[in-house]
Amino acid sequence: MTDLPRLARPADAPAPGIGIVHLGLGAFFRAHGALYIEEAMARSGGDWGILGVSLRHADLRDRLEPQDYAYTACELGPEGESLRIGTAVRSMLVAPEDPDAVLAAMADPGVTIVSLTVTEKGYCHAPATGRLDFAHPDIVRDLADAARPVSAPGFLCRALDRRRKAGLRPFTVMSCDNLPENGALLQGVVLDLAARMDAELARWIEAECVFPCTMVDRIAPATTDADIERLARRTGIHDAAPVMHEPFRQWVIEDRFVDGRRPALEAVGVELVEDVRPFEHMKLRCLNGTHSALAYLGYLAGAETVSDAVARPALAGFIRRLWDDEILPVLTPPPGVDLAAYTHALTERYANPGIRHRTWQIAMDGSLKLPQRILGSVSENLAAGRTPRGLFLVIAAWMRYTSGVGEDGQPIDVRDPMADRLRAVWQDGAEPAAIVSGYLAFDEIFPGALAADPAFSAGLTEALADLLRDGAEVAAAQYA
């Protein structure tokens, strides 16, 4: 439907100056943070326009540029869709095309926040330790060529160094990724890299820069060509880069910013708090943990989306038991939050038929996600003398998924930085115990103390044997 008129920025849309550079501009941030920031500017003013940066590809820039970076945000509720036009994004750069332009934008004194949604793998760290992986190819390149960084930590270090040398204040570095204590993790990898580059730079960053922790929550499934065509038929306008999202949203931010400079986010429902950890642990374990459970078990059972998966009684009952028996007992609720009510609301969000969040999409990069979403709950249950059989089954389902062959014998397109190494564990005729042993040898994923726990390896072996014998849905039903 490209013969239709192209979406344009509304004539009456504000034109704020650039105050935020966002690395990894994608669907989630445009469906979440960018909308909050737009609302905050409408309420309280300020030059908080967003310059987006793609660290890899030009596709999104090429879709947004003809629309002057406006896009449709489509809220998918149980009763139907509602639309709004997002206008907080003012421009976009593609880092491989001109890394110096990205560094110049980040070093501009008008920019006071650099935010990120680069996914777990964008931090170039080892999930089991949280430290920078100096063998990561992007980090090797960053250290070899100071003028052309490629990783998010590389751009942050080089841009902060420009500001230091120019006598400018640093920007606030704000992670918006689903990682526990994401600000502290990001600070750690940046300081690791900076120390290797220049010890004085590392000391300046540690003394002057701020890395607030955040928790973000909104389900935003990947936009499909069918979504674009449906919106075009409804509106008579072609938008090449709309975003889809559920009605629910939440943003919790540790209220620490360089010189206190930030948008008035509290005016539009963002929670500014002293300690984000209870919120992020709740979300990572309750939502992201069960999302992963539904992704692996659901995909293996033939469920294309999360809503399809929770429509199956065995899988819906399984995640309910996960919450009640294995996740909530080792979770400290945030102040004023009823965890039972929170998980009940998650069930309703998962069942929303308007959200087609593909299990295959959620299943990506499991080697990076499981340590954050699953393994903490496992360790704390074992330390308390409980056997988390349901969480063992989730890990076993991930193992089966990463074998690259589904229960129907068809190949699985596994997208994971360790995909080849994981698949190699599945040698012909390998028994469950040998497969589990092979996976537990990956210290990038499994902390040494957990991998060495006999109860953990025995529980995983039993869960994998059940899964291979009975299939995902039956194995989940036996637990539920």
Side-chain angles (χ1 to χ4, degrees):
M1 296 190 178
T2 54
D3 55 333
L4 294 174
R6 191 69 173 262
L7 178 71
R9 180 177 292 272
D12 60 351
I18 301 297
I20 299 171
V21 171
H22 186 83
L23 306 182
L25 186 71
F28 177 78
F29 186 75
R30 289 187 295 128
H32 185 267
L35 299 181
Y36 273 115
I37 290 164
E38 180 179 324
E39 293 167 17
M41 286 192 289
R43 181 72 66 89
S44 304
D47 284 322
W48 299 107
I50 299 164
L51 171 68
V53 176
S54 170
L55 294 173
R56 291 289 183 264
H57 307 296
D59 177 67
L60 182 60
R61 189 273 316 275
D62 294 345
R63 288 171 177 261
L64 283 172
E65 189 174 42
Q67 304 173 182
D68 198 15
Y69 302 96
Y71 59 92
T72 306
C74 180
E75 181 177 294
L76 304 172
E79 288 78 38
E81 301 176 346
S82 62
L83 310 180
R84 65 181 282 189
I85 304 301
T87 60
V89 178
R90 302 292 292 127
S91 188
M92 189 170 178
L93 295 171
V94 179
E97 293 179 355
D98 193 348
D100 189 68
V102 175
L103 291 172
M106 296 168 71
D108 187 295
V111 169
T112 57
I113 297 173
V114 174
S115 51
L116 303 84
T117 46
V118 293
T119 75
E120 291 90 345
K121 60 187 173 185
Y123 291 76
C124 305
H125 71 300
T129 65
R131 301 307 298 268
L132 186 69
D133 178 5
F134 282 102
H136 192 288
D138 289 353
I139 300 303
V140 172
R141 291 174 61 186
D142 285 344
L143 289 169
D145 187 350
R148 298 184 63 85
V150 293
S151 73
F155 273 102
L156 291 168
C157 284
R158 295 303 182 193
L160 286 166
D161 198 31
R162 287 194 180 194
R163 293 177 81 117
R164 177 178 70 97
K165 290 174 177 175
L168 298 172
R169 296 287 289 147
F171 43 73
T172 295
V173 187
M174 185 170 67
S175 169
C176 300
D177 280 300
N178 284 317
L179 293 162
E181 300 185 55
N182 52 15
L185 172 68
L186 181 55
Q187 181 179 29
V189 298
V190 167
L191 288 174
D192 284 346
L193 183 57
R196 187 69 63 92
M197 293 175 170
D198 181 340
E200 185 58 35
L201 170 63
R203 285 191 289 270
W204 183 80
I205 292 173
E206 187 168 23
E208 303 294 338
C209 199
V210 175
F211 297 76
C213 293
T214 72
M215 186 276 272
V216 295
D217 189 0
R218 169 167 265 182
I219 296 171
T223 300
T224 66
D225 290 341
D227 293 324
I228 293 173
E229 292 175 5
R230 186 184 71 256
L231 286 177
R233 287 193 298 269
R234 175 176 173 180
T235 64
I237 295 172
H238 176 62
D239 180 354
V243 294
M244 308 291 125
H245 62 79
E246 65 172 332
F248 179 89
R249 66 177 185 174
Q250 186 178 20
W251 198 1
V252 184
I253 304 175
E254 183 184 9
D255 197 5
R256 293 194 305 123
F257 290 79
V258 173
D259 302 326
R261 299 178 66 187
R262 60 168 176 79
L265 293 167
E266 69 277 15
V268 293
V270 176
E271 298 169 75
L272 281 299
V273 302
E274 291 186 7
D275 188 357
V276 174
R277 287 174 295 180
F279 294 92
E280 67 189 13
H281 289 167
M282 176 182 72
K283 192 253 180 171
L284 277 165
R285 295 187 182 193
C286 291
L287 189 156
N288 298 118
T290 53
H291 247 182
S292 289
L294 290 168
Y296 298 115
L297 290 164
Y299 185 95
L300 292 172
E304 182 181 0
T305 68
V306 169
S307 58
D308 294 338
V310 296
R312 302 186 181 202
L315 297 181
F318 176 76
I319 62 166
R320 181 75 262 167
R321 288 289 299 275
L322 274 187
W323 283 321
D324 291 346
D325 295 354
E326 301 181 12
I327 297 176
L328 299 191
V330 292
L331 193 60
T332 301
V337 174
D338 180 335
L339 291 177
Y342 178 76
T343 56
H344 178 75
L346 287 180
T347 303
E348 294 182 343
R349 291 169 64 189
Y350 291 169
N352 179 355
I355 295 290
R356 294 194 58 76
H357 204 177
R358 296 176 64 198
T359 52
W360 178 81
Q361 179 192 0
I362 301 167
M364 292 180 184
D365 300 327
S367 66
L368 299 173
K369 292 175 178 176
L370 259 68
Q372 326 300 341
R373 302 180 175 194
I374 301 294
L375 298 187
S377 295
V378 169
S379 296
E380 290 170 25
N381 273 284
L382 291 172
R386 289 188 294 267
T387 302
R389 293 178 49 246
L391 293 170
F392 290 161
L393 183 60
V394 175
I395 300 169
W398 165 72
M399 292 176 175
R400 176 68 193 271
Y401 177 90
T402 56
S403 74
V405 180
E407 292 180 359
D408 56 3
Q410 296 301 307
I412 300 173
D413 179 12
V414 177
R415 303 289 180 92
D416 190 288
M418 295 179 62
D420 292 341
R421 297 168 64 194
L422 298 172
R423 186 166 50 248
V425 174
W426 291 78
Q427 301 174 8
D428 291 342
E431 293 296 319
I435 294 169
V436 167
S437 178
Y439 275 82
L440 294 185
F442 294 118
D443 57 9
E444 308 99 311
I445 304 172
F446 298 99
L450 181 61
D453 188 330
F456 184 51
S457 57
L460 284 180
T461 300
E462 181 181 357
L464 184 60
D466 291 344
L467 189 68
L468 293 173
R469 182 185 65 247
D470 301 325
E473 198 161 358
V474 171
Q478 290 173 345
Y479 174 78

